[in-house]
């Protein structure tokens, strides 16, 4: 079975968490998706690049989630979510590309 890159998992968690929260109107359910994808990505980051890198990328994931909120007030919700998801995917790829 093909392994899904952590960069894709992280970006999907940000987009999917928001989508679930918005469409179900249950923010905690979106949080479960966000946290689950974050945990899967962190596990992959740790296996590929080690604990310090995983901790840094996990902090970036949380910062991307938090940063999407004020950004959404300026550009709109979906553009903000897609923007931080893309930034997170790019960061994850750039940091782990030579280690995997």
């Amino acid at each position: 079975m093909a392994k899904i890159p952590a960069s894709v998992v992280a970006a999907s968690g940000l987009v999917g968490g928001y989508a679930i929260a918005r469409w179900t109107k249950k923010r905690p359910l979106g949080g479960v998706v966000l946290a689950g994808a974050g945990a899967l990505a962190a596990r992959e980051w740790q296996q590929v690049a080690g604990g310090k890198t995983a901790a840094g990328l996990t902090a970036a994931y949380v910062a991307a989630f938090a940063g999407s909120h004020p950004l959404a007030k300026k550009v709109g919700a979906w553009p903000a979510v897609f923007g931080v998801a893309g930034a997170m995917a790019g960061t994850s790829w750039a940091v782990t590309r030579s280690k995997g």
Side-chain angles (χ1 to χ4, degrees):
M1 183 163 88
K3 187 160 97 173
I4 299 171
S7 57
V8 174
V9 174
S12 298
L14 290 162
V15 173
Y18 175 69
I20 294 295
R22 181 170 179 141
W23 292 328
T24 65
K25 299 191 183 339
K26 295 182 185 340
R27 292 179 73 175
L29 189 56
V32 168
V33 172
L34 179 78
L40 285 172
R43 184 171 154 228
E44 177 67 18
W45 291 325
Q46 193 279 325
Q47 289 174 350
V48 169
K52 287 182 183 180
T53 300
L57 287 169
T58 300
Y61 183 76
V62 173
F65 166 70
S68 69
H69 292 81
L71 183 59
K73 292 179 183 192
K74 297 186 183 307
V75 300
W78 280 112
V81 170
F82 285 126
V84 299
M88 187 65 235
T91 301
S92 173
W93 176 82
V95 170
T96 61
R97 70 183 166 173
S98 65
K99 297 176 179 168

